[in-house]
Amino acid sequence: MTRDGDEFRDSSMGTAELHRRLAAIWSTPSGLWGALSTVDHKIIGRRYITTAFVFLALGGLLSMLMRLQLAQPEARFIGPDRYNQIFTMHGTNMMFLFAVPVMQAMAIYLVPLMVGTRNIAFPRLNAFSYWMYLAGGLLLWIAFVVDAGPDVGWFAYVPLSGPQYGAGKRADIWAQMITFTEVSALAIAVEIVVTVFKQRAPGMSLDRIPLFVWSMLVTSFLVIMAMPAIMVASTSLILDRLVGTHFFNPAEGGDVLLWQHLFWFFGHPEVYIIFLPAVGMVSAIVATFTRRPVFGYLGMVMALIATGVLAFGLWVHHMFVAGLPRLGESFFTASSMAIAVPAGLQIFCWLATMWAGRPVFKTPFLFVVGFMVIFVIGGLTGVMVASVPFDTQVHDTYFVVAHFHYVLVGGAVFPLLGAIYYWFPKFTGRMMSEVLGRWIFGLIFAGFNLTFFPMHILGLQGMPRRIYTYQPEMPWSGLNLFISFSAVILAAGFLLFFIDAIRSARSGSLASANPWGATTLEWATSSPPPPYNFARPPVVESLEPLSGDLETLPVASGLRVDRRELLTSSVVHASPEAREASPGDSIWPLWAALATTLMLIWSIFSPWAVVWGSVPIAITLIGWFWPKGVPEDEA
Amino acid sequence: MKEKVSSFSNAAFALAGLLFLAVSGGILGWFRQPRELRLDPPVAADLDRFRLMPNGISGSPPESYFAIGKPYESDAYNLSQGKRLYAWFGCGSCHGDGRGGVGPSFLDGWWLYGPEMVSIVASIRDGRPHGMPSFRDRMTSEQIWQLAGYVQTIGSYTPQVAAPSRNDDEQTRPAENRGPAKILFDEGPVGVHPDQGPTP
């Protein structure tokens, strides 16, 4: 033990003593209060992931209801009003409550570990973010249960969602749910950017950052730039509906198309907010299971950034049938096709990695292979619908439904399931079943293709999306019945996945610190990691810090052990700059989230909520930021 | 220890979830609004069987109306349907945007035959002296009740959460949910007022 002035440092402390002291200062206290006030990124990340998968299961149930209704013509199982709510809930839930949050949740858990730090930046904001997300999800689902779920489609076009046609509070609940999830997403994005820029392990210069971390960094910038557009849109919609403003009223100088532009300026980057993290997951899995680094690291990073930039230049291709100047159509066709270039580059880099490596076909890698097949098919139909004449034909048909399920499920859910299999030992300390994993992959891969490929054909046969039933004279009933049966296979795969995940978390075989022989830093600590992640901060000397012997991983020392402390480093070279205090547990983020929830839900019903509801928010924020009577950096 | 902490955090998670569930469930249950797209035919027929006082003012709705929860006064969907019917059946040609014109104003909150639903329903269904036509043969009973509920909203003294918002038209007056109409804005020139006009 070293005494440096009045501070306890870890410099020459014995390992056992160091672990004991770090555990004392970093652990989350047990009990309800500890659980509600924790700021540990691993606990919050695990909660986030679990909640997102619950929403995935609920959204999946909705899709099965829709398949039941569409299995035969003129079915009477669900009425038109409930069906409208169901397809709106399915899309909204999957996009806003599952896909984006689950990707960010993986980042909350993994990024601090992968960059070798002890907690995420702004950990209390992180706790706040989770509570906001939970409240938004509950708002939407409770509204649905009491028959007040949104029924205007997941992109809620005006005038259908506007004051004249969207009766009741249904569209307001949709719009306010957006506010909840965007607040939480923006909070995480800021945390990730700061964590990646300022908290990397010493020596992890920009060219040594793992590709998953790069992808989450680019994603976070996308979130920061795209989400404000949708918050402006949803707030304007609520204002139009509640206090009678005229943002979207053409008769008073507003514009209906303004909604579409604002929504898709967010909505298209949203696709990449979901896809880019998947790219990072695929890169991590490919590198591990081919036993070599991903081919073309620089090219991969450049492709990530290029995708991020291009993502903001093609939102109008969602609006080809809204009427555009010819030059606009041509420009957005060109940019839509251009984004296939960086995506293709990434695919070829992975293929080259597999070619040059020695692939081990374990479950995570199987999901990556499935991803490549499905995502390429989805990408090809993407290039098709990027062309205006073709898009005009298939717009709002099941062809589009098939296309975006191929890119979203293929491009995000397959890598995500692979990533769950891959990182599950790190999350829980236990392995998932390899045998069940192969069955699950087979069922989901086959079920997915059998379900969604025929939808291309249905679309070309003219079946519109969002219809609650169809007449027996239409030539669609055979394929629809086939799709509904195939959906059962797909659902069985997911059911098996949930069973395997729950079973493995309780009684799976115990995992070592690095069960896959991977080379990134999250595997340098135990499974699951201790509350302080690393007893001594690792020092990085290459892109693959664990490629050598784990015992020889260089570490930094000199950190205090009598407070939560971590290293900050410079942006480019990650040379250590300072020892920084990391905030301790606090209950105030929960109170602040509750106060914000009160204000946001109340403001659906009365504009005065913004005035009076801000009082409790102010009180909770004052409590949150109340000076502790110690120097600021002591936290 | 690890297991214990995580089971505690699971319990806490469930508890917080339940708390949210209870609170938001309560709030939303209050505003529960299932839509009746096709009214049960016996209920629809029963809507016609309200009883009016001998002078044609006030009375009592059928019992079944209370049984289904007075939907035409408090339900956003029915009120917005009423607003569409107001436009489709040309109510505005006499009553304007609620300010009146040839016919009496609704906005001023002065009801020639009282503010009860049955009075308004009777006015629409059977017509009234001095020019109010009967819509008995042009609308279903359900539509008449929907329209009556909307008309009642126009002159209400307290704004209703369920009242419709503005239309995508030129704005001539604040929307129905921005009431109370009488206080919020000048109603402009009114039509026939009972103090000046003929007795009902």
Side-chain angles (χ1 to χ4, degrees):
Chain A
M1 191 193 311
T2 309
R3 243 188 133 85
D4 190 355
D6 275 342
E7 300 167 344
F8 282 110
R9 302 287 190 101
D10 61 3
S11 305
S12 58
M13 200 176 272
T15 311
E17 169 79 355
L18 178 62
H19 279 278
R20 193 182 62 75
R21 284 181 177 274
L22 284 174
I25 199 77
W26 282 92
S27 287
T28 295
S30 60
L32 180 65
W33 196 257
L36 293 178
S37 58
T38 184
V39 295
D40 186 338
H41 75 99
K42 296 178 293 299
I43 296 178
I44 293 170
R46 219 163 47 202
R47 260 178 218 170
Y48 238 119
I49 294 169
T50 314
T51 315
F53 270 94
V54 170
F55 285 130
L56 171 74
L58 289 172
L61 284 180
L62 291 181
S63 64
M64 294 310 287
L65 289 177
M66 287 190 283
R67 282 325 311 174
L68 192 56
Q69 165 73 12
L70 291 178
Q72 50 175 335
E74 304 267 20
R76 295 281 180 85
F77 180 61
I78 302 169
D81 184 52
R82 203 58 172 167
Y83 191 87
N84 288 350
Q85 291 185 47
I86 288 176
F87 75 66
T88 304
M89 285 291 295
H90 174 75
T92 307
N93 172 76
M94 290 303 201
M95 293 300 275
F96 294 104
L97 297 179
F98 167 66
V100 175
V102 83
M103 295 300 177
Q104 292 194 305
M106 296 292 276
I108 289 176
Y109 196 102
L110 291 168
V111 165
L113 287 166
M114 289 176 111
V115 301
T117 188
R118 283 178 171 167
N119 203 350
I120 200 164
F122 313 127
R124 290 182 184 170
L125 186 65
N126 198 24
F128 175 77
S129 157
Y130 174 74
W131 299 122
M132 288 301 288
Y133 161 67
L134 183 64
L138 287 173
L139 168 70
L140 186 71
W141 273 95
I142 292 169
F144 175 70
V145 168
V146 301
D147 220 350
D151 57 353
V152 288
W154 84 272
F155 38 77
Y157 274 4
V158 289
L160 180 64
S161 65
Q164 184 171 356
Y165 298 101
K169 292 296 169 194
R170 295 175 168 191
D172 299 289
I173 284 164
W174 179 87
Q176 208 61 298
M177 183 278 312
I178 299 285
T179 315
F180 278 97
T181 52
E182 309 312 85
V183 165
S184 64
L186 280 167
I188 304 174
V190 171
E191 296 156 22
I192 298 292
V193 168
V194 175
T195 308
V196 175
F197 275 166
K198 292 306 293 178
Q199 288 185 202
R200 298 201 306 277
M204 187 183 274
S205 50
L206 286 184
D207 57 350
R208 292 175 188 164
I209 300 180
L211 280 170
F212 178 75
V213 176
W214 262 116
S215 73
M216 286 315 307
L217 180 68
V218 176
T219 304
S220 299
F221 274 108
L222 253 63
V223 168
I224 291 170
M225 286 185 273
M227 298 274 177
I230 185 69
M231 285 181 78
V232 166
S234 67
T235 308
S236 310
L237 180 64
I238 292 182
L239 283 172
D240 263 21
R241 295 173 52 87
L242 186 64
V243 300
T245 54
H246 296 282
F247 290 107
F248 306 118
N249 177 7
E252 284 287 353
D255 196 340
V256 182
L257 275 184
L258 173 65
W259 172 267
Q260 299 192 15
H261 281 292
L262 282 175
F263 186 89
W264 289 116
F265 186 79
F266 145 82
H268 198 83
E270 164 102 334
V271 174
Y272 294 96
I273 290 170
I274 295 166
F275 172 61
L276 289 185
V279 169
M281 293 168 182
V282 170
S283 301
I285 295 171
V286 164
T288 299
F289 289 93
T290 56
R291 308 269 167 237
R292 56 153 292 158
V294 170
F295 175 83
Y297 176 86
L298 185 64
M300 290 294 285
V301 174
M302 287 303 152
L304 282 171
I305 297 172
T307 311
V309 173
L310 281 172
F312 284 95
L314 35 81
W315 78 93
V316 177
H317 71 211
H318 295 268
M319 302 162 53
F320 277 153
V321 296
L324 288 175
R326 187 60 57 82
L327 185 66
E329 289 182 344
S330 308
F331 176 84
F332 286 102
T333 295
S335 61
S336 305
M337 292 182 173
I339 203 150
V341 175
L345 180 75
Q346 288 161 343
I347 294 275
F348 282 112
C349 280
W350 291 319
L351 287 178
T353 315
M354 292 183 201
W355 188 301
R358 285 166 286 122
V360 183
F361 285 87
K362 291 259 173 84
T363 308
F365 195 70
L366 286 180
F367 274 105
V368 164
V369 174
F371 149 78
M372 288 197 180
V373 174
I374 293 174
F375 183 70
V376 166
I377 296 175
L380 287 176
T381 53
V383 175
M384 287 163 79
V385 290
S387 121
V388 177
F390 186 81
D391 183 71
T392 315
Q393 287 299 311
V394 298
H395 187 85
D396 263 347
T397 69
Y398 263 78
F399 190 88
V400 175
V401 177
H403 161 68
F404 67 68
H405 279 95
Y406 261 84
V407 279
L408 289 174
V409 179
V413 177
F414 270 75
L416 178 71
L417 294 180
I420 294 289
Y421 269 88
Y422 179 58
W423 278 300
F424 196 83
K426 190 50 67 180
F427 296 159
T428 63
R430 293 175 187 276
M431 307 291 289
M432 285 178 82
S433 160
E434 189 63 32
V435 180
L436 272 180
R438 284 167 189 275
W439 272 100
I440 290 163
F441 169 75
L443 282 171
I444 292 183
F445 185 80
F448 176 83
N449 282 296
L450 292 174
T451 303
F452 288 99
F453 195 83
M455 288 189 188
H456 291 113
I457 302 165
L458 275 180
L460 292 174
Q461 287 178 345
M463 180 169 165
R465 67 195 278 205
R466 296 177 169 172
I467 50 168
Y468 84 103
T469 193
Y470 50 92
Q471 288 69 39
E473 294 81 26
M474 297 296 186
W476 306 329
S477 44
L479 272 180
N480 269 307
L481 185 63
F482 178 78
I483 290 173
S484 292
F485 274 121
S486 309
V488 176
I489 303 177
L490 183 57
F494 273 100
L495 182 67
L496 210 54
F497 169 78
F498 283 113
I499 292 172
D500 188 26
I502 294 168
R503 189 201 59 83
S504 306
R506 287 161 177 266
S507 58
S509 56
L510 288 175
S512 65
N514 189 1
W516 309 112
T519 57
T520 40
L521 278 181
E522 78 271 28
W523 304 105
T525 183
S526 62
S527 302
Y532 42 90
N533 288 357
F534 301 95
R536 296 180 198 274
V539 174
V540 175
E541 289 168 338
S542 74
L543 183 56
E544 298 187 296
L546 297 195
S547 53
D549 186 5
L550 187 55
E551 296 303 312
T552 63
L553 182 72
V555 290
S557 67
L559 273 78
R560 280 169 63 176
V561 292
D562 55 350
R563 65 166 193 176
R564 295 188 176 186
E565 196 168 78
L566 41 80
L567 280 175
T568 58
S569 52
S570 63
V571 173
V572 177
H573 295 292
S575 26
E577 282 179 334
R579 294 178 291 119
E580 182 75 27
S582 182
D585 297 345
S586 166
I587 193 69
W588 285 105
L590 175 60
W591 295 138
L594 282 172
T596 316
T597 301
L598 175 74
M599 188 274 270
L600 287 178
I601 295 182
W602 187 4
S603 70
I604 296 177
F605 301 100
S606 163
W608 285 103
V610 181
V611 178
W612 301 120
S614 61
V615 174
I617 296 180
I619 293 171
T620 51
L621 290 184
I622 289 169
W624 185 338
F625 298 114
W626 194 260
K628 309 289 184 299
V630 288
E632 197 187 339
D633 61 346
E634 295 268 326
Chain B
M1 184 62 197
K2 194 86 219 159
E3 285 296 312
K4 208 171 160 193
V5 169
S6 96
S7 82
F8 266 119
S9 89
N10 287 348
F13 167 70
L15 205 80
L18 281 176
L19 198 76
F20 270 118
L21 213 75
V23 171
S24 21
I27 294 169
L28 281 161
W30 186 256
F31 293 100
R32 181 163 188 271
Q33 285 165 353
R35 290 182 187 182
E36 198 62 70
L37 297 182
R38 184 175 174 276
L39 199 60
D40 202 18
V43 177
D46 206 33
L47 280 178
D48 249 352
R49 300 195 196 100
F50 58 89
R51 286 166 301 164
L52 218 51
M53 298 286 280
N55 61 356
I57 298 175
S58 189
S60 62
E63 292 294 322
S64 64
Y65 180 60
F66 298 100
I68 56 176
K70 300 201 280 183
Y72 303 110
E73 291 159 77
S74 56
D75 178 75
Y77 171 69
N78 285 308
L79 289 175
S80 77
Q81 287 296 99
K83 184 170 184 175
R84 302 171 90 180
L85 294 166
Y86 187 90
W88 290 348
F89 284 85
C91 306
S93 59
C94 293
H95 298 282
D97 57 4
R99 276 181 287 198
V102 182
S105 157
F106 302 129
L107 271 171
D108 61 3
W110 185 286
W111 299 95
L112 290 168
Y113 302 94
E116 289 85 4
M117 276 292 279
V118 282
S119 301
I120 305 173
V121 169
S123 301
I124 298 169
R125 190 186 67 174
D126 306 332
R128 294 285 188 184
H130 311 298
M132 174 71 190
S134 158
F135 286 85
R136 182 196 296 276
D137 299 330
R138 299 177 219 180
M139 305 166 85
T140 65
S141 311
E142 190 191 10
Q143 286 175 326
I144 291 174
W145 278 83
Q146 286 172 333
L147 178 55
Y150 168 68
V151 168
Q152 196 189 38
T153 312
I154 302 178
S156 126
Y157 281 97
T158 47
Q160 259 185 291
V161 168
S165 187
R166 66 156 178 81
N167 270 2
D168 289 331
D169 298 326
E170 279 184 45
Q171 173 161 338
T172 57
R173 61 179 181 83
E176 290 79 352
N177 64 351
R178 302 302 301 140
K182 201 165 162 48
I183 301 165
L184 258 189
F185 54 98
D186 173 29
E187 69 207 41
V190 294
V192 189
H193 200 278
D195 293 343
Q196 316 145 1
T199 27

